[in-house]
Amino acid sequence: MVIAAFSASAIVLAGCAGGSGDDAGGEDGEITLTLATFNDFGYDDELLQEYMDENPNIKIVHNKAAITDDARTNFFAKLGKEGLADIEAVEVDWFAEAMQYSDLLAEVPDSAKGRWVEWKEAAATDADGRLVGFGTDIGPQAVCYRADLFAAAGLPSTPDEVASQIDGDWNTFFDLADQYKAATGKPMLDSANSAFQGIVNQIEFPYDEPDGTVVATDNPDLEAAYDLVVERGIPNSAYSGQWSDDWNASMANGEFAAMLCPPWMLGIISGNAPEVTGWEIANAFPNGGGNWGGSYLTVPANGKNVDEALKLADWLTAPEQQEKTFVNVGAYPSALDAQSAPSITDSTNEYFADAPTGTIFADRSEAITVTPYKSADYFKYNTALQDAITRVFDGVEDAQTSWDTYVAEVEAF
Amino acid sequence: MTTTATRTTASGPADRPDPQRQPRVLSFSHKLSRWDLKVSPYLYISPFFILFAIVGLFPIVYTAVISFQEWDLVRGSGTFVGLDQYIWILSQADFWTALRNTFSIFLLSSVPQLILALFIAAMLDKNIRSKTFWRMSVLLPYVMAPVAVALIFSNMFGDNHGLVNNILAGIGLEPIMWHKDPFWSHVAIATMVNFRWTGYNALILLAAMQAVPREYYEAATVDGAGAFRQFWNITLPSLKPTLIFVIITSTIGGLQIFDEPRMFDTFGRGGAANQWLTITLYLYNIGWGEFNFGRAAALAWILFIIILAIGLINLAITRALVRDEGGRGVIRRRRRRKGAQQ
């Protein structure tokens, strides 16, 4: 009986003790910094070792989440409580949600300000003027296309020729797609939703305005974007959305001949279609430029080693390190000095017929004139409207019904 | 040993009052053994209840509290809004679509699953060679991680390059749009569920079947009853309590279905037109997609109530459907026989 009582209370004690068993180093002046990222930021062991060699009292532990959704869930579940890493990576898609809690994030030191492209820095500055995110990469878009399929369709196929065909507005782009379809009977573009994403990223206030006015249902620009994609994008697209198994498989089998291409997409194409030789990059984008993707590093203000974490985040996003991550994983730098560094401007990509990716993306980055305002609700609205496009694509609803469904959904939020 | 001693005294001739025993002072060890008898069973089972209170009961109650609030997860605070969250959920078209989908997937999985499990169990109950091998084999799908199952199946049910559609195209049929038509998406998801759970249920039913005395079958054979008649009149009635258990567990599981629909496409949100949005998936989307935990908590409670209601209805229907005479008869007769032997 005594044993029973003892074991019962032991289990209870163990149950209680579970939650409070974390402390991060701190003895002998050695500090352990945790760094949490997702996908692949290009922060390999070599790079982190370099920092540890320079700062012998620092030990870095790097945790990688497989996908950004996992990181997002983890971030918001622990923000404001305990348990986040000293440095947390935040993706631009949910960065606006994180900005709601900018007071819980440590401020970027003044010495680092002005390092990044202007709009990248502006998006990480809150209403009180506090800059709380260290920009990592950005995603200026170009157009990737299959030169062999273009040639077979009787269209001009060198990067310069294709670029001049694309240079114009979205209608020019879809005209080219119509020509391709007329010649081959196949769609030119991979996905209708990525075209939509490209257009939305060129609207300054797609869904709501900084003062809280919601325009998601009556923004004429947005409705025009929807109409354009439904009318001209859907017939010219192989899929409604990206990232499905079918879509991944399709890059190798020539189901379509062009994709909108931020720098990080290059790795996805070459990874999915390692045997295909026809992929090339055109230095152009419909309607100028647009940004798709890119992340920030943030430092939760209630961490144990905020000062040291700020120093590390500062170092990781400094131009020199951004050059290295570009070499590692092709993450195009958001730091101005890195963009003009020779290691980047001179870089080429063997898979894409030795395309001068450094110059192409520098041009594309410069062509970005509009940065859409993304509020905390951006993700919700955008997902709902993408679903609307998918419904039309699938033939589940017609264009008008689907828009009405979207409007009803937005009103329910 | 002390226990036995205590017991003998306690179960002694108690009707006769014993004046000598009344003032007797119990020694410490006697007291201890009395306590042992009374208290230790509770102590032995207490870890479960204490753990349940911490990891089960508390979250349930806390969810109820949150469901009446506009809750901010990050700041851990909320404002009381009464029944607003419940009203919001019930007024959503998405909720009713999710409810329809959940029931559709539940029926498409549970019904074929149980029939198939019964059939497999009946076959395994026969005299076949290498019994253990076959019995273990039916459990294999259950051991596989649901996410792995979903990955394999979503490959099979691809719209353009899926195995099933390739086969259909091969024999000259129209491909099925698994990710567009609600019904077919439910069929695909139910297939995953069935794959995983049929063997598990079959083994439970098999265990119950083996408890049916063999003499009944022998007697029935002598009386000239065929295999089907024997199954219908002997096996099925004897399985009643087990069937009720299996049906109720698969109902609860079916109404909470999440892994399979979430893994059915890349986005995991239940389809652009909510074709395969289930209640738990909707709950997840509201909670972890929109970070609206007040609404998510309210939906969790609505789901809890639905499951409770369906469970009760289920119990009533199963009781009425599975015929009674055989089952009770078996038990009563067995008891009688036992009594005769004593």
Side-chain angles (χ1 to χ4, degrees), chain A residues 152-178:
Chain A
L155 296 171
S157 62
T158 68
D160 286 342
E161 286 169 345
V162 174
S164 67
Q165 293 274 322
I166 292 170
D167 205 19
D169 58 11
W170 284 92
N171 274 312
T172 320
F173 182 70
F174 288 129
D175 286 343
L176 183 68
D178 286 343

PDB file of all heavy atoms in Angstrom, chain A residues 152-178:
ATOM      1  N   ALA A 152       9.252  24.350 -80.461  1.00  0.00           N
ATOM      2  CA  ALA A 152       8.387  23.375 -81.127  1.00  0.00           C
ATOM      3  C   ALA A 152       7.042  23.990 -81.479  1.00  0.00           C
ATOM      4  O   ALA A 152       6.391  23.595 -82.447  1.00  0.00           O
ATOM      5  CB  ALA A 152       8.190  22.158 -80.229  1.00  0.00           C
ATOM      6  N   ALA A 153       6.611  24.976 -80.684  1.00  0.00           N
ATOM      7  CA  ALA A 153       5.326  25.633 -80.950  1.00  0.00           C
ATOM      8  C   ALA A 153       5.483  26.747 -81.977  1.00  0.00           C
ATOM      9  O   ALA A 153       4.528  27.468 -82.276  1.00  0.00           O
ATOM     10  CB  ALA A 153       4.756  26.196 -79.654  1.00  0.00           C
ATOM     11  N   GLY A 154       6.695  26.913 -82.490  1.00  0.00           N
ATOM     12  CA  GLY A 154       6.929  27.946 -83.490  1.00  0.00           C
ATOM     13  C   GLY A 154       7.032  29.338 -82.895  1.00  0.00           C
ATOM     14  O   GLY A 154       6.882  30.343 -83.598  1.00  0.00           O
ATOM     15  N   LEU A 155       7.290  29.428 -81.589  1.00  0.00           N
ATOM     16  CA  LEU A 155       7.440  30.736 -80.953  1.00  0.00           C
ATOM     17  C   LEU A 155       8.927  31.047 -80.798  1.00  0.00           C
ATOM     18  O   LEU A 155       9.750  30.127 -80.759  1.00  0.00           O
ATOM     19  CB  LEU A 155       6.789  30.723 -79.568  1.00  0.00           C
ATOM     20  CG  LEU A 155       5.291  30.518 -79.506  1.00  0.00           C
ATOM     21  CD1 LEU A 155       4.838  30.303 -78.072  1.00  0.00           C
ATOM     22  CD2 LEU A 155       4.563  31.714 -80.106  1.00  0.00           C
ATOM     23  N   PRO A 156       9.272  32.343 -80.725  1.00  0.00           N
ATOM     24  CA  PRO A 156      10.673  32.680 -80.446  1.00  0.00           C
ATOM     25  C   PRO A 156      11.090  32.071 -79.111  1.00  0.00           C
ATOM     26  O   PRO A 156      10.297  32.017 -78.173  1.00  0.00           O
ATOM     27  CB  PRO A 156      10.670  34.203 -80.363  1.00  0.00           C
ATOM     28  CG  PRO A 156       9.252  34.608 -80.247  1.00  0.00           C
ATOM     29  CD  PRO A 156       8.439  33.532 -80.879  1.00  0.00           C
ATOM     30  N   SER A 157      12.347  31.610 -79.028  1.00  0.00           N
ATOM     31  CA  SER A 157      12.680  30.817 -77.859  1.00  0.00           C
ATOM     32  C   SER A 157      13.945  31.231 -77.104  1.00  0.00           C
ATOM     33  O   SER A 157      14.231  30.661 -76.053  1.00  0.00           O
ATOM     34  CB  SER A 157      12.801  29.345 -78.252  1.00  0.00           C
ATOM     35  OG  SER A 157      13.853  29.208 -79.183  1.00  0.00           O
ATOM     36  N   THR A 158      14.705  32.199 -77.595  1.00  0.00           N
ATOM     37  CA  THR A 158      15.860  32.616 -76.795  1.00  0.00           C
ATOM     38  C   THR A 158      15.366  33.506 -75.657  1.00  0.00           C
ATOM     39  O   THR A 158      14.315  34.156 -75.785  1.00  0.00           O
ATOM     40  CB  THR A 158      16.887  33.408 -77.616  1.00  0.00           C
ATOM     41  OG1 THR A 158      16.296  34.670 -77.976  1.00  0.00           O
ATOM     42  CG2 THR A 158      17.288  32.655 -78.878  1.00  0.00           C
ATOM     43  N   PRO A 159      16.108  33.548 -74.541  1.00  0.00           N
ATOM     44  CA  PRO A 159      15.650  34.339 -73.386  1.00  0.00           C
ATOM     45  C   PRO A 159      15.315  35.787 -73.753  1.00  0.00           C
ATOM     46  O   PRO A 159      14.302  36.318 -73.283  1.00  0.00           O
ATOM     47  CB  PRO A 159      16.846  34.266 -72.434  1.00  0.00           C
ATOM     48  CG  PRO A 159      17.517  32.986 -72.757  1.00  0.00           C
ATOM     49  CD  PRO A 159      17.319  32.783 -74.231  1.00  0.00           C
ATOM     50  N   ASP A 160      16.127  36.411 -74.600  1.00  0.00           N
ATOM     51  CA  ASP A 160      15.870  37.814 -74.938  1.00  0.00           C
ATOM     52  C   ASP A 160      14.584  37.960 -75.732  1.00  0.00           C
ATOM     53  O   ASP A 160      13.780  38.856 -75.493  1.00  0.00           O
ATOM     54  CB  ASP A 160      17.045  38.390 -75.729  1.00  0.00           C
ATOM     55  CG  ASP A 160      18.243  38.628 -74.824  1.00  0.00           C
ATOM     56  OD1 ASP A 160      18.026  38.676 -73.588  1.00  0.00           O
ATOM     57  OD2 ASP A 160      19.372  38.738 -75.337  1.00  0.00           O
ATOM     58  N   GLU A 161      14.401  37.063 -76.704  1.00  0.00           N
ATOM     59  CA  GLU A 161      13.184  37.125 -77.530  1.00  0.00           C
ATOM     60  C   GLU A 161      11.941  36.916 -76.666  1.00  0.00           C
ATOM     61  O   GLU A 161      10.958  37.651 -76.783  1.00  0.00           O
ATOM     62  CB  GLU A 161      13.225  36.038 -78.612  1.00  0.00           C
ATOM     63  CG  GLU A 161      14.184  36.344 -79.750  1.00  0.00           C
ATOM     64  CD  GLU A 161      14.405  35.134 -80.661  1.00  0.00           C
ATOM     65  OE1 GLU A 161      14.046  34.004 -80.265  1.00  0.00           O
ATOM     66  OE2 GLU A 161      14.937  35.324 -81.739  1.00  0.00           O
ATOM     67  N   VAL A 162      12.010  35.910 -75.790  1.00  0.00           N
ATOM     68  CA  VAL A 162      10.853  35.641 -74.942  1.00  0.00           C
ATOM     69  C   VAL A 162      10.590  36.819 -74.017  1.00  0.00           C
ATOM     70  O   VAL A 162       9.447  37.235 -73.817  1.00  0.00           O
ATOM     71  CB  VAL A 162      11.064  34.338 -74.133  1.00  0.00           C
ATOM     72  CG1 VAL A 162       9.925  34.132 -73.144  1.00  0.00           C
ATOM     73  CG2 VAL A 162      11.178  33.157 -75.069  1.00  0.00           C
ATOM     74  N   ALA A 163      11.681  37.385 -73.478  1.00  0.00           N
ATOM     75  CA  ALA A 163      11.521  38.524 -72.577  1.00  0.00           C
ATOM     76  C   ALA A 163      10.804  39.671 -73.287  1.00  0.00           C
ATOM     77  O   ALA A 163       9.918  40.313 -72.714  1.00  0.00           O
ATOM     78  CB  ALA A 163      12.881  38.982 -72.057  1.00  0.00           C
ATOM     79  N   SER A 164      11.163  39.909 -74.562  1.00  0.00           N
ATOM     80  CA  SER A 164      10.520  41.022 -75.262  1.00  0.00           C
ATOM     81  C   SER A 164       9.055  40.703 -75.558  1.00  0.00           C
ATOM     82  O   SER A 164       8.218  41.601 -75.657  1.00  0.00           O
ATOM     83  CB  SER A 164      11.282  41.351 -76.543  1.00  0.00           C
ATOM     84  OG  SER A 164      11.163  40.278 -77.449  1.00  0.00           O
ATOM     85  N   GLN A 165       8.731  39.409 -75.728  1.00  0.00           N
ATOM     86  CA  GLN A 165       7.326  39.016 -75.923  1.00  0.00           C
ATOM     87  C   GLN A 165       6.500  39.227 -74.650  1.00  0.00           C
ATOM     88  O   GLN A 165       5.324  39.553 -74.705  1.00  0.00           O
ATOM     89  CB  GLN A 165       7.258  37.527 -76.289  1.00  0.00           C
ATOM     90  CG  GLN A 165       7.858  37.170 -77.626  1.00  0.00           C
ATOM     91  CD  GLN A 165       6.862  37.342 -78.743  1.00  0.00           C
ATOM     92  OE1 GLN A 165       5.689  37.042 -78.581  1.00  0.00           O
ATOM     93  NE2 GLN A 165       7.315  37.856 -79.881  1.00  0.00           N
ATOM     94  N   ILE A 166       7.144  38.976 -73.502  1.00  0.00           N
ATOM     95  CA  ILE A 166       6.422  39.064 -72.227  1.00  0.00           C
ATOM     96  C   ILE A 166       6.300  40.507 -71.763  1.00  0.00           C
ATOM     97  O   ILE A 166       5.329  40.889 -71.105  1.00  0.00           O
ATOM     98  CB  ILE A 166       7.155  38.222 -71.151  1.00  0.00           C
ATOM     99  CG1 ILE A 166       7.051  36.744 -71.501  1.00  0.00           C
ATOM    100  CG2 ILE A 166       6.578  38.491 -69.765  1.00  0.00           C
ATOM    101  CD1 ILE A 166       7.926  35.859 -70.649  1.00  0.00           C
ATOM    102  N   ASP A 167       7.315  41.306 -72.137  1.00  0.00           N
ATOM    103  CA  ASP A 167       7.373  42.683 -71.656  1.00  0.00           C
ATOM    104  C   ASP A 167       6.107  43.430 -72.057  1.00  0.00           C
ATOM    105  O   ASP A 167       5.877  43.706 -73.227  1.00  0.00           O
ATOM    106  CB  ASP A 167       8.604  43.362 -72.276  1.00  0.00           C
ATOM    107  CG  ASP A 167       9.062  44.511 -71.406  1.00  0.00           C
ATOM    108  OD1 ASP A 167       8.673  44.518 -70.227  1.00  0.00           O
ATOM    109  OD2 ASP A 167       9.786  45.379 -71.912  1.00  0.00           O
ATOM    110  N   GLY A 168       5.303  43.727 -71.082  1.00  0.00           N
ATOM    111  CA  GLY A 168       4.039  44.395 -71.350  1.00  0.00           C
ATOM    112  C   GLY A 168       3.132  44.145 -70.162  1.00  0.00           C
ATOM    113  O   GLY A 168       3.620  43.870 -69.075  1.00  0.00           O
ATOM    114  N   ASP A 169       1.828  44.225 -70.365  1.00  0.00           N
ATOM    115  CA  ASP A 169       0.951  43.945 -69.223  1.00  0.00           C
ATOM    116  C   ASP A 169       0.536  42.471 -69.248  1.00  0.00           C
ATOM    117  O   ASP A 169       1.041  41.684 -70.049  1.00  0.00           O
ATOM    118  CB  ASP A 169      -0.260  44.884 -69.208  1.00  0.00           C
ATOM    119  CG  ASP A 169      -1.058  44.773 -70.492  1.00  0.00           C
ATOM    120  OD1 ASP A 169      -0.782  43.833 -71.275  1.00  0.00           O
ATOM    121  OD2 ASP A 169      -1.955  45.604 -70.718  1.00  0.00           O
ATOM    122  N   TRP A 170      -0.398  42.131 -68.372  1.00  0.00           N
ATOM    123  CA  TRP A 170      -0.782  40.725 -68.279  1.00  0.00           C
ATOM    124  C   TRP A 170      -1.484  40.241 -69.538  1.00  0.00           C
ATOM    125  O   TRP A 170      -1.381  39.073 -69.900  1.00  0.00           O
ATOM    126  CB  TRP A 170      -1.664  40.491 -67.041  1.00  0.00           C
ATOM    127  CG  TRP A 170      -0.827  40.491 -65.805  1.00  0.00           C
ATOM    128  CD1 TRP A 170      -0.546  41.546 -64.999  1.00  0.00           C
ATOM    129  CD2 TRP A 170      -0.121  39.375 -65.261  1.00  0.00           C
ATOM    130  NE1 TRP A 170       0.293  41.171 -63.992  1.00  0.00           N
ATOM    131  CE2 TRP A 170       0.568  39.834 -64.111  1.00  0.00           C
ATOM    132  CE3 TRP A 170       0.012  38.044 -65.615  1.00  0.00           C
ATOM    133  CZ2 TRP A 170       1.366  39.010 -63.330  1.00  0.00           C
ATOM    134  CZ3 TRP A 170       0.802  37.212 -64.832  1.00  0.00           C
ATOM    135  CH2 TRP A 170       1.470  37.695 -63.701  1.00  0.00           C
ATOM    136  N   ASN A 171      -2.178  41.150 -70.217  1.00  0.00           N
ATOM    137  CA  ASN A 171      -2.827  40.742 -71.464  1.00  0.00           C
ATOM    138  C   ASN A 171      -1.806  40.321 -72.509  1.00  0.00           C
ATOM    139  O   ASN A 171      -2.037  39.375 -73.254  1.00  0.00           O
ATOM    140  CB  ASN A 171      -3.714  41.870 -71.987  1.00  0.00           C
ATOM    141  CG  ASN A 171      -5.107  41.813 -71.361  1.00  0.00           C
ATOM    142  OD1 ASN A 171      -5.717  40.740 -71.324  1.00  0.00           O
ATOM    143  ND2 ASN A 171      -5.575  42.933 -70.842  1.00  0.00           N
ATOM    144  N   THR A 172      -0.661  41.052 -72.544  1.00  0.00           N
ATOM    145  CA  THR A 172       0.403  40.666 -73.465  1.00  0.00           C
ATOM    146  C   THR A 172       0.865  39.251 -73.155  1.00  0.00           C
ATOM    147  O   THR A 172       1.085  38.427 -74.051  1.00  0.00           O
ATOM    148  CB  THR A 172       1.615  41.618 -73.302  1.00  0.00           C
ATOM    149  OG1 THR A 172       1.145  42.935 -73.116  1.00  0.00           O
ATOM    150  CG2 THR A 172       2.533  41.525 -74.484  1.00  0.00           C
ATOM    151  N   PHE A 173       1.003  38.985 -71.865  1.00  0.00           N
ATOM    152  CA  PHE A 173       1.452  37.668 -71.421  1.00  0.00           C
ATOM    153  C   PHE A 173       0.456  36.585 -71.839  1.00  0.00           C
ATOM    154  O   PHE A 173       0.832  35.545 -72.374  1.00  0.00           O
ATOM    155  CB  PHE A 173       1.631  37.703 -69.905  1.00  0.00           C
ATOM    156  CG  PHE A 173       2.150  36.417 -69.324  1.00  0.00           C
ATOM    157  CD1 PHE A 173       3.458  36.009 -69.550  1.00  0.00           C
ATOM    158  CD2 PHE A 173       1.339  35.624 -68.525  1.00  0.00           C
ATOM    159  CE1 PHE A 173       3.949  34.834 -69.004  1.00  0.00           C
ATOM    160  CE2 PHE A 173       1.813  34.445 -67.985  1.00  0.00           C
ATOM    161  CZ  PHE A 173       3.127  34.046 -68.228  1.00  0.00           C
ATOM    162  N   PHE A 174      -0.830  36.876 -71.625  1.00  0.00           N
ATOM    163  CA  PHE A 174      -1.835  35.866 -71.980  1.00  0.00           C
ATOM    164  C   PHE A 174      -1.991  35.742 -73.503  1.00  0.00           C
ATOM    165  O   PHE A 174      -2.386  34.685 -74.006  1.00  0.00           O
ATOM    166  CB  PHE A 174      -3.178  36.174 -71.313  1.00  0.00           C
ATOM    167  CG  PHE A 174      -3.161  35.925 -69.823  1.00  0.00           C
ATOM    168  CD1 PHE A 174      -3.598  36.899 -68.932  1.00  0.00           C
ATOM    169  CD2 PHE A 174      -2.706  34.712 -69.310  1.00  0.00           C
ATOM    170  CE1 PHE A 174      -3.571  36.670 -67.570  1.00  0.00           C
ATOM    171  CE2 PHE A 174      -2.673  34.478 -67.945  1.00  0.00           C
ATOM    172  CZ  PHE A 174      -3.106  35.456 -67.078  1.00  0.00           C
ATOM    173  N   ASP A 175      -1.669  36.835 -74.258  1.00  0.00           N
ATOM    174  CA  ASP A 175      -1.667  36.724 -75.716  1.00  0.00           C
ATOM    175  C   ASP A 175      -0.657  35.687 -76.158  1.00  0.00           C
ATOM    176  O   ASP A 175      -0.927  34.851 -77.035  1.00  0.00           O
ATOM    177  CB  ASP A 175      -1.314  38.079 -76.356  1.00  0.00           C
ATOM    178  CG  ASP A 175      -2.465  39.067 -76.259  1.00  0.00           C
ATOM    179  OD1 ASP A 175      -3.600  38.605 -76.002  1.00  0.00           O
ATOM    180  OD2 ASP A 175      -2.239  40.286 -76.426  1.00  0.00           O
ATOM    181  N   LEU A 176       0.526  35.752 -75.528  1.00  0.00           N
ATOM    182  CA  LEU A 176       1.564  34.776 -75.837  1.00  0.00           C
ATOM    183  C   LEU A 176       1.065  33.366 -75.518  1.00  0.00           C
ATOM    184  O   LEU A 176       1.270  32.418 -76.283  1.00  0.00           O
ATOM    185  CB  LEU A 176       2.827  35.101 -75.030  1.00  0.00           C
ATOM    186  CG  LEU A 176       4.046  34.216 -75.277  1.00  0.00           C
ATOM    187  CD1 LEU A 176       4.592  34.442 -76.685  1.00  0.00           C
ATOM    188  CD2 LEU A 176       5.140  34.484 -74.250  1.00  0.00           C
ATOM    189  N   ALA A 177       0.373  33.248 -74.366  1.00  0.00           N
ATOM    190  CA  ALA A 177      -0.168  31.949 -73.962  1.00  0.00           C
ATOM    191  C   ALA A 177      -1.186  31.450 -74.984  1.00  0.00           C
ATOM    192  O   ALA A 177      -1.222  30.262 -75.309  1.00  0.00           O
ATOM    193  CB  ALA A 177      -0.806  32.063 -72.584  1.00  0.00           C
ATOM    194  N   ASP A 178      -1.999  32.383 -75.503  1.00  0.00           N
ATOM    195  CA  ASP A 178      -2.984  31.996 -76.522  1.00  0.00           C
ATOM    196  C   ASP A 178      -2.296  31.451 -77.768  1.00  0.00           C
ATOM    197  O   ASP A 178      -2.736  30.452 -78.343  1.00  0.00           O
ATOM    198  CB  ASP A 178      -3.859  33.195 -76.907  1.00  0.00           C
ATOM    199  CG  ASP A 178      -4.867  33.535 -75.814  1.00  0.00           C
ATOM    200  OD1 ASP A 178      -5.097  32.665 -74.949  1.00  0.00           O
ATOM    201  OD2 ASP A 178      -5.408  34.658 -75.821  1.00  0.00           O
TER     202      ASP A 178
END
